[in-house]
Amino acid sequence: MELTLSEKQMLQGEFGPATRKAMEILVALGTIYQAEKMIPVSSVQVSGVSYDNLGEAGLDFLSEMAAGGGKAQVLTTLNPAGMDIEDPTSLGISPEFAGQQQRVIDAFGRMGIITTCTCTPYLTGNLPHYGEHIAWAESSAVCYANSVLGARTNREGGPSALAAALTGRTPAYGLHLAENRAPSLTIQVKAQLTENDEFGALGLLAGRQIEMRKQNRVVYIQGIQQASLENLKSFCASLATYGGAGLFHMQGITPEANLFAPTADAVEFSQADIQSAARSLNDESAAEIDFVSLGCPHLSILEIARVAELLRGQKVKKTFWITTARPTRQMAERMGYTAIIEEAGAVIAADTCCVVAPIQGRFHTLATDSAKACYYAYGKNKMKTRLMSFDEVVYEALK
Ligand code: F3S
């Protein structure tokens, strides 16, 4: 792979051991994917932040990179951690876990990474524009950045995203190249979708089709008349989870859709298909719901306003976590939404979520509007799941 003079200097260790290690990671990645060169990135989002996923080995790696003089060269933010960093005990997290999680955050902080922990960086100031090359790691955010914003990123792993942050570079392959952004499958939607859980069910159906074909994983979607930011973030999370997709085009909605035509390979989904996909995430054998959560991906301020409206003057009867980014929570505090939610007995937590927090064994059945949360609640945390609409999730907490 062709490297510029400064990239060669990074590789030779002239900018310190952490930068050398970072460039070694990127060169290895670029070699595997036959990239011809590196390209500059302007924004990074790093995953592998929860100590629950990182463990001691991950923490050691981060501490080593910080001690080796690693410094973020571009705007870099973090994926959710395993706790609310400013209020760990609000979620029943053990002091031992909280201590190790804090060391992780401190290591990132020493590298000049902004310790805002969210899977919706695009809602909190890390917002790339059309055509911008970036290196993001969280799968739902990658899908959103490529598809809805028209930025260009591969789905990075934690180490490769950190390496991009410390060098300001990423290998030029995959979704950075225009020729890899064309769709290979068309999904025709013959249904009216309005709720997040319905868009999540569509993501599940489309994802299964992608998995069956093993092509380039880019789909072209027709038939969606309208989709809110919240619908799209839900769809992105589901499509990335069930189909490993990093990019889709939605006719009339996403910015690159008009560059492409529908493909010959096409499948159609009806309202009944959507309903049946949603039902497949409802475990009918589930015992009573004992955990309710909204915020996968992290809630927008509009969604928090809706929760507050529904909870005003009421008391929840189940454990109810509402998860969001710290800056969004600060807006919610200013607007009085947090006070309403907390008076109702629900928890509004920043920096974390119901998947990356260490909760295995604490709950049996999760109610959520997120198809992605269902996947991980079952797979990672061994819970049964019930998928319902956003408002129904709130009503469930009040039952
Ligand atoms: Fe975000 Fe956690 Fe869901 S990182 S997309 S809220 S699994």
Side-chain angles (χ1 to χ4, degrees), residues 198-225:
E198 295 172 326
F199 277 86
L202 175 63
L204 165 63
L205 288 172
R208 282 184 185 150
Q209 293 294 323
I210 292 170
E211 279 297 316
M212 274 161 52
R213 285 169 172 76
K214 305 271 181 224
Q215 292 165 350
N216 74 350
R217 297 184 183 268
V218 183
V219 289
Y220 185 91
I221 297 159
Q222 288 184 295
I224 301 289
Q225 305 305 323

Side-chain angles (χ1 to χ4, degrees), residues 79-80 119 138 140 237 295-298 353 355-356 372:
N79 215 30
C119 48
E138 154 55 33
S140 67
C296 175
H298 275 171
C353 76
V355 170
V356 299
K372 173 174 180 174

Side-chain angles (χ1 to χ4, degrees), residues 184-395:
S184 60
L185 170 68
T186 295
I187 306 279
Q188 288 164 347
V189 183
K190 306 275 187 197
Q192 290 289 332
L193 310 186
T194 53
E195 299 285 341
N196 292 345
D197 60 314
E198 295 172 326
F199 277 86
L202 175 63
L204 165 63
L205 288 172
R208 282 184 185 150
Q209 293 294 323
I210 292 170
E211 279 297 316
M212 274 161 52
R213 285 169 172 76
K214 305 271 181 224
Q215 292 165 350
N216 74 350
R217 297 184 183 268
V218 183
V219 289
Y220 185 91
I221 297 159
Q222 288 184 295
I224 301 289
Q225 305 305 323
Q226 223 178 327
S228 67
L229 180 157
E230 290 77 10
N231 294 154
L232 289 168
K233 80 177 161 67
S234 183
F235 178 67
C236 287
S238 182
L239 188 70
T241 297
Y242 292 98
L247 168 66
F248 66 89
H249 305 293
M250 196 177 270
Q251 195 176 49
I253 309 267
T254 63
E256 284 175 78
N258 59 4
L259 301 179
F260 304 102
T263 58
D265 188 8
V267 287
E268 190 178 298
F269 293 129
S270 65
Q271 198 84 43
D273 294 326
I274 300 287
Q275 284 162 356
S276 142
R279 270 198 308 275
S280 73
L281 297 176
N282 271 318
D283 190 332
E284 296 301 338
S285 72
E288 208 176 312
I289 292 165
D290 57 351
F291 184 38
V292 178
S293 185
L294 286 170
C296 175
H298 275 171
L299 292 194
S300 69
I301 189 65
L302 270 184
E303 288 175 313
I304 294 178
R306 178 69 182 153
V307 176
E309 191 182 327
L310 294 174
L311 285 183
R312 186 188 289 276
Q314 314 237 43
K315 286 282 178 211
V316 299
K317 300 200 175 60
K318 297 181 178 126
T319 302
F320 184 11
W321 289 11
I322 295 136
T323 54
T324 191
R326 174 80 45 199
T328 311
R329 188 195 150 109
Q330 283 163 346
M331 275 192 276
E333 275 165 21
R334 178 166 292 185
M335 294 305 295
Y337 304 148
T338 306
I340 295 168
I341 290 168
E342 288 179 343
E343 271 161 30
V347 176
I348 175 162
D351 312 313
T352 189
C353 76
C354 69
V355 170
V356 299
I359 57 169
Q360 195 178 339
R362 279 175 58 187
F363 306 105
H364 297 292
T365 305
L366 168 73
T368 175
D369 71 335
S370 165
K372 173 174 180 174
C374 288
Y375 180 90
Y376 286 101
Y378 178 75
K380 175 176 182 272
N381 288 327
K382 316 295 175 219
M383 278 187 261
K384 300 200 168 182
T385 59
R386 301 296 297 272
L387 182 73
M388 43 187 85
S389 75
F390 188 92
D391 287 8
E392 284 168 347
V393 172
V394 181
Y395 299 141

